[in-house]
């Protein structure tokens, strides 16, 4: 997917989309799965619901992930995933796109690294 196409899909006004667009425009790297890698919405919703619970157990509240899980579940059709990683590697955004890649279903983001290394 070309960068300008992805930018146009991130036109929403929710906080996760706004941050994703700003991150992408600031030189982030990104990846979007091909259409043949789309998975049923229920699979993604289940996986990321579990990841949300684990993140919360470790004191992390990912931006928009609870909402993304709900929107993907409600979407009910296969979705493709994608990632946007900030140029400085301090933030990542998870994207859920329609199977054909023509629309954003939801996105969520969180700071990196997820695991803090103990001091030596």
């Amino acid at each position: 997917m070309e960068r300008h196409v992805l930018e146009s899909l991130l036109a929403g006004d929710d906080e996760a989309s706004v941050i994703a667009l700003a991150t992408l425009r600031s030189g982030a790297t990104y990846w979007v799965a091909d259409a043949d890698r789309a998975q049923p919405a229920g699979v993604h919703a289940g996986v990321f619901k579990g990841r949300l619970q684990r993140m919360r157990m470790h004191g992390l509240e990912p931006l928009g992930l609870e909402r993304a899980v709900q929107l993907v579940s409600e979407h009910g059709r296969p979705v493709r995933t994608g990632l946007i990683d900030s140029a400085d590697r301090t933030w990542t955004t998870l994207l859920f796109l329609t199977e054909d890649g023509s629309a954003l279903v939801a996105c969520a983001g969180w700071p990196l690294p997820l695991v803090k290394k103990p001091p030596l």
Side-chain angles (χ1 to χ4, degrees):
M1 177 175 289
E2 293 184 37
R3 185 176 293 265
H4 70 90
V5 173
L6 184 54
E7 286 179 3
S8 70
L9 296 178
L10 293 168
D13 61 357
D14 62 287
E15 191 175 6
S17 294
V18 169
I19 291 173
L21 180 57
T23 303
L24 188 60
R25 287 182 172 163
S26 68
T29 59
Y30 71 96
W31 168 86
V32 176
D34 293 329
D36 62 347
R37 296 196 55 195
Q39 296 288 320
V43 170
H44 282 300
V47 166
F48 285 98
K49 182 177 181 182
R51 289 185 183 175
L52 173 61
Q53 291 170 343
R54 284 190 298 283
M55 286 180 184
R56 286 177 170 166
M57 284 178 19
H58 293 283
L60 178 67
E61 184 58 42
L63 178 64
L65 188 54
E66 183 172 12
R67 180 175 182 267
V69 167
Q70 178 184 348
L71 291 172
V72 168
S73 182
E74 290 171 0
H75 180 66
R77 293 180 301 282
V79 293
R80 296 161 60 175
T81 55
L83 293 171
I84 301 172
D85 292 320
S86 65
D88 64 2
R89 302 289 188 218
T90 60
W91 187 264
T92 193
T93 300
L94 171 66
L95 307 170
F96 295 99
L97 304 167
T98 55
E99 187 172 12
D100 66 1
S102 66
L104 179 71
V105 175
C107 69
W110 49 85
L112 295 174
L114 283 176
V115 177
K116 293 184 180 180
K117 294 179 181 176
L120 297 175

